Amino acid sequence: MAQPESLADLLGGRRAALDATVPPVVFVAGWLAGGRSIWVGAGAAIVAALLVAGWRLRQGDKPRAVLIGLLGVGVAALIALRTGRAEDFFLVQIVTNAASALAWAVSIVIRWPLLGVIVGAVLGQKTRWRRDPALLRAYSLGSWVWVAQYLVRLAVFVPLWAAHAVVALGIARGVLTWPLVAACLAVSWWVIRRSLPDGHPGLRHPRSAVDAHADGLG
């Protein structure tokens, strides 16, 4: 398979991971420094989110993506302030991971694996990749790795949230953000490469079922 790029090369994500890592860690630090004051923690998290947003904009990230990250921190802070429970700052993360796991699993079942949808959009292929049986299968298998990623987070976050373990939640949020995403990218890329038959031209060159059958790849 002549495909030099990895999923990490195509999808990136390092700068976006700051949105999910820095504000929660700062929230916990502010919460502790303020004598377990949610107001102090929330204020510190919002300031951190604003700084990260400014840095990402200067790096050339799309304003829409930056705004979504900023909005997520604001909603998390409001929930914690409303409930008076510091651990509820992490509820948004729990809900979004549960929703993501469900969405990715459903996408595989209905044969529209989200990994293919995302990579296809990045490569400007629209839906041409779906006409390639080998790519459709590879993206489906690779997408299960992403389902597992969200389930791993839920398996860690939910018990910690139930135990009111705010500091542990902050640590887990940092550990299970970019490091886990990087591992997921690497493993799903390995799965895709292993799934594609010998001689397949790669992600940038989807083949029709007719072409694949003619070349003995179907």
Side-chain angles (χ1 to χ4, degrees), residues 20-54:
T21 305
V22 175
V25 171
V26 172
F27 170 82
V28 174
W31 177 72
L32 290 172
R36 304 203 169 194
S37 168
I38 296 176
W39 282 97
V40 174
I46 291 173
V47 170
L50 288 170
L51 292 174
V52 170

Side-chain angles (χ1 to χ4, degrees), residues 19-29 31 38 41 45 72-73 75-81 83 85-98 153-154 156-158 160-162 164-175 177:
D19 290 345
T21 305
V22 175
V25 171
V26 172
F27 170 82
V28 174
W31 177 72
I38 296 176
V73 175
V75 171
L78 287 174
I79 291 174
L81 290 169
T83 64
R85 291 158 41 106
E87 62 269 24
D88 287 350
F89 182 87
F90 299 89
L91 266 179
V92 171
Q93 180 75 0
I94 291 173
V95 171
T96 56
N97 274 277
R153 289 203 187 103
L154 289 173
V156 175
F157 291 151
V158 172
L160 292 177
W161 173 80
H164 316 293
V166 179
V167 174
L169 278 167
I171 295 172
R173 181 71 176 270
V175 172
T177 302

